[in-house]
């Protein structure tokens, strides 16, 4: 069994899509589609063998799998494929968003969340992972930064699937857009703008005035 096939078998994020396709085209055709997605994923890994280690967490676990399954779906379903990916992202982000909303509803959890978020942003979206991040504010009440270059944008374009960029941006909205006691503000993304601007602020801090 190839690496790509193993990935789709063990990854729970694509289980809702698998169930949806089973109802739409049947079990055997769904298995074939996911097998082809595994082949696509293997091909992408071979096409980009020299990606730096920090970027590989993003490319191998998130970007390339989504590109692979999207390509297979597009060949089968045409323009309907992007909606299928949007639905996958909706389910993924909704689960994480519900968990984070519950966590940030706990007493004093908003400041703890913001401290954790700074560490995650600097480690996951720093230069070592292929991003260009500019931090503006890091305080107990407010985190504000811009992403000026993005691994997700870059590899979606290299793979010939720029239409997938928004699906990764949407994940942020699903995860952070409905937090308890924290406001999430983003006015633009690199898909169409000069940067992805992030502001997360405790609601009592007057975030919209930043």
């Amino acid at each position: 069994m190839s690496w790509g096939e193993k990935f789709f078998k063990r990854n729970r994020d694509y289980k809702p899509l698998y169930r949806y396709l089973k109802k739409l085209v049947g079990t055997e055709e769904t298995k074939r589609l996911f097998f082809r997605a595994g082949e696509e994923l293997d091909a992408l890994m071979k096409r980009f063998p020299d990606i730096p280690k920090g970027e590989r967490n993003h490319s191998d676990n998130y970007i390339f799998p989504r590109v692979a399954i999207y390509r297979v779906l597009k060949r089968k379903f045409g323009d309907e494929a992007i909606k299928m990916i949007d639905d996958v992202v909706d389910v993924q982000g909704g689960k994480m968003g519900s968990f984070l909303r519950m966590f940030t509803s706990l007493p004093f959890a908003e400041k703890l969340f913001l401290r954790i978020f700074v560490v995650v942003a600097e480690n996951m979206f720093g230069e070592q992972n292929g991003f260009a991040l500019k931090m503006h504010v890091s305080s107990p009440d407010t985190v504000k930064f811009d992403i000026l270059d993005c691994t997700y944008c870059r590899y979606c374009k290299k793979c010939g699937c720029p239409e997938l960029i928004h699906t990764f941006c949407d994940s942020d909205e699903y995860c952070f857009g409905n937090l308890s006691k924290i406001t999430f503000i983003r006015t633009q993304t690199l898909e169409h703008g000069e940067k992805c601007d992030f502001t997360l602020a405790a609601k009592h801090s007057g975030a919209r005035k930043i």
Side-chain angles (χ1 to χ4, degrees):
M1 186 181 294
S2 70
W3 191 91
E5 191 177 357
K6 288 179 182 177
F7 177 91
F8 285 110
K9 279 186 175 293
R10 71 172 185 264
N11 192 284
R12 294 183 178 182
D13 289 340
Y14 291 95
K15 296 301 182 185
L17 176 61
Y18 190 92
R19 291 193 293 268
Y20 171 77
L21 290 172
K22 276 180 63 175
K23 294 179 180 178
L24 186 66
V25 297
T27 300
E28 292 306 313
E29 180 62 14
T30 299
K31 288 180 178 179
R32 280 191 287 270
L33 291 171
F34 270 82
F35 177 78
R36 290 170 192 153
E39 291 181 323
E40 286 277 355
L41 181 51
D42 290 332
L44 285 167
M45 301 283 282
K46 291 178 182 177
R47 179 183 168 189
F48 299 100
D50 299 321
I51 296 174
K53 182 179 178 181
E55 293 182 30
R56 279 220 166 268
N57 177 51
H58 297 278
S59 63
D60 296 5
N61 292 304
Y62 302 102
I63 304 169
F64 293 163
R66 192 170 297 178
V67 169
I69 192 69
Y70 171 68
R71 284 178 171 176
V72 171
L73 293 175
K74 190 172 183 180
R75 287 197 290 268
K76 176 73 175 179
F77 301 104
D79 292 341
E80 185 68 15
I82 194 67
K83 184 182 182 305
M84 293 179 179
I85 298 298
D86 285 334
D87 290 342
V88 169
V89 175
D90 190 348
V91 172
Q92 293 171 345
K95 289 179 180 178
M96 179 57 70
S98 295
F99 169 77
L100 293 177
R101 177 171 175 78
M102 179 188 69
F103 175 77
T104 53
S105 70
L106 299 173
F108 309 109
E110 67 271 28
K111 292 187 177 181
L112 175 59
F113 176 85
L114 291 173
R115 286 201 298 270
I116 294 172
F117 190 82
V118 170
V119 175
V120 171
E122 291 177 338
N123 282 277
M124 292 294 294
F125 305 109
E127 184 177 349
Q128 71 277 13
N129 289 323
F131 295 82
L133 183 147
K134 183 177 182 180
M135 186 68 68
H136 295 291
V137 180
S138 175
S139 74
D141 291 322
T142 303
V143 177
K144 183 177 178 65
F145 62 87
D146 297 332
I147 292 179
L148 306 174
D149 189 20
C150 172
T151 302
Y152 290 82
C153 289
R154 191 162 57 254
Y155 282 105
C156 282
K157 291 175 181 177
K158 286 184 176 182
C159 292
C161 300
E163 64 269 32
L164 283 179
I165 294 173
H166 81 270
T167 69
F168 293 103
C169 299
D170 288 350
S171 295
D172 298 327
E173 297 285 350
Y174 293 133
C175 289
F176 309 126
N178 198 29
L179 298 173
S180 298
K181 299 182 284 186
I182 295 176
T183 299
F184 171 62
I185 303 168
R186 187 170 61 192
T187 66
Q188 61 180 300
T189 67
L190 281 165
E191 183 183 13
H192 300 298
E194 298 179 350
K195 59 187 178 182
C196 292
D197 57 339
F198 287 76
T199 299
L200 287 92
K203 289 184 177 178
H204 62 77
S205 67
R208 296 197 178 277
K209 297 179 182 179
I210 294 173

